[in-house]
Amino acid sequence: MATADKLNYLLETKEEIKAAIVAKGVSVSDTDTFRSYANKIAAIQTGSVTIDSKEDALLTGNITEYENDRITSLRAHGLSNYETLERISLSNVIEVGEEGLAYNPSVISILLPKATTLGISCVRDNYSLEEIELPNITSISSQCFYDCENLTTIYLNNNINLVTLSSIDAFAGTPIADGNGVIYVPSNLIDSYKNAANWSNFASCIQSLGGSN
């Protein structure tokens, strides 16, 4: 293998290891040396991570707020089953996997400004969540908001494309399913939503972002 190829392989390996460490809730900065990765891995394995108090709280299950502007996708079950988690901000995440944000009963705020896809059961059983804004969403999978029993308001700000709704069970167990919630959509698409597949079941809930039906 040529020297240049070896260097490229080493850099790729470093990035893969970095991504794996970050996925475990440990921050890795651009100034951290490759040698320091060993200590970070060891800290994960021994449960003695002390790099960042919020990351510690995430690993121990005691976190109340989580913010990440580095990752662009959240794997299946990536941020689920946190009893104390109240606020989530994933400013650069584009895709959320199956149950990626599920079973967080205390969550009251989820920020996904760039998300285009929400996977199956993505936000289910988040009992405290009352509203969510999805400015760039293009598709919502089945059972996405299943049993979010206080979810009354959804904002779909994409004024170019109609969001694909895989199944009406995306809102099962929510006030929206009973016709008691509001789904705000761009005024230029309101009629399209009310007549679209699956969305038509929630026609009485669909209102214009501009404030009129």
Side-chain angles (χ1 to χ4, degrees):
M1 183 182 290
T3 301
D5 293 333
K6 289 181 180 179
L7 288 174
N8 287 332
Y9 181 77
L10 180 61
L11 289 173
E12 290 174 359
T13 302
K14 179 183 177 182
E15 288 303 312
E16 289 177 0
I17 295 173
K18 177 181 177 181
I21 294 172
V22 171
K24 289 295 185 180
V26 180
S27 60
V28 180
S29 71
D30 292 336
T31 58
D32 286 326
T33 64
F34 196 11
R35 182 178 294 274
S36 71
Y37 288 10
N39 291 331
K40 295 178 185 293
I41 293 171
I44 294 171
Q45 293 173 339
T46 60
S48 60
V49 179
T50 58
I51 296 169
D52 184 286
S53 59
K54 285 191 176 181
E55 305 295 357
D56 290 352
L58 180 66
L59 294 173
T60 59
N62 297 318
I63 195 165
T64 58
E65 297 184 7
Y66 183 75
E67 180 178 353
N68 190 311
D69 61 2
R70 302 182 304 278
I71 62 172
T72 57
S73 65
L74 181 66
R75 65 180 176 83
H77 316 286
L79 201 58
S80 63
N81 285 291
Y82 286 93
E83 291 285 336
T84 60
L85 189 57
E86 296 178 357
R87 299 179 185 277
I88 299 171
S89 177
L90 302 172
S91 57
N92 285 309
V93 163
I94 296 172
E95 181 177 7
V96 181
E98 181 176 349
E99 295 186 354
L101 298 166
Y103 309 111
N104 295 316
S106 299
V107 162
I108 59 175
S109 175
I110 298 177
L111 299 180
L112 297 166
K114 293 185 179 180
T116 61
T117 304
L118 299 182
I120 297 172
S121 303
C122 175
V123 194
R124 69 177 299 165
D125 291 276
N126 288 357
Y127 308 126
S128 300
L129 187 67
E130 296 182 1
E131 66 176 44
I132 188 168
E133 183 172 358
L134 301 166
N136 285 296
I137 202 71
T138 59
S139 64
I140 295 174
S141 299
S142 63
Q143 298 189 345
C144 185
F145 299 103
Y146 192 91
D147 270 357
C148 290
E149 57 189 33
N150 287 302
L151 182 64
T152 58
T153 309
I154 295 178
Y155 297 89
L156 304 176
N157 310 64
N158 189 329
N159 62 5
I160 299 175
N161 299 310
L162 194 76
V163 177
T164 300
L165 183 64
S166 298
S167 171
I168 61 173
D169 68 11
F171 302 113
T174 73
I176 291 172
D178 298 326
N180 297 318
V182 182
I183 302 170
Y184 287 107
V185 303
S187 57
N188 62 308
L189 294 175
I190 190 166
D191 290 334
S192 297
Y193 271 103
K194 287 186 174 184
N195 293 288
N198 296 324
W199 286 115
S200 60
N201 290 271
F202 309 103
S204 63
C205 297
I206 296 173
Q207 296 186 24
S208 169
L209 284 166
S212 60
N213 292 343

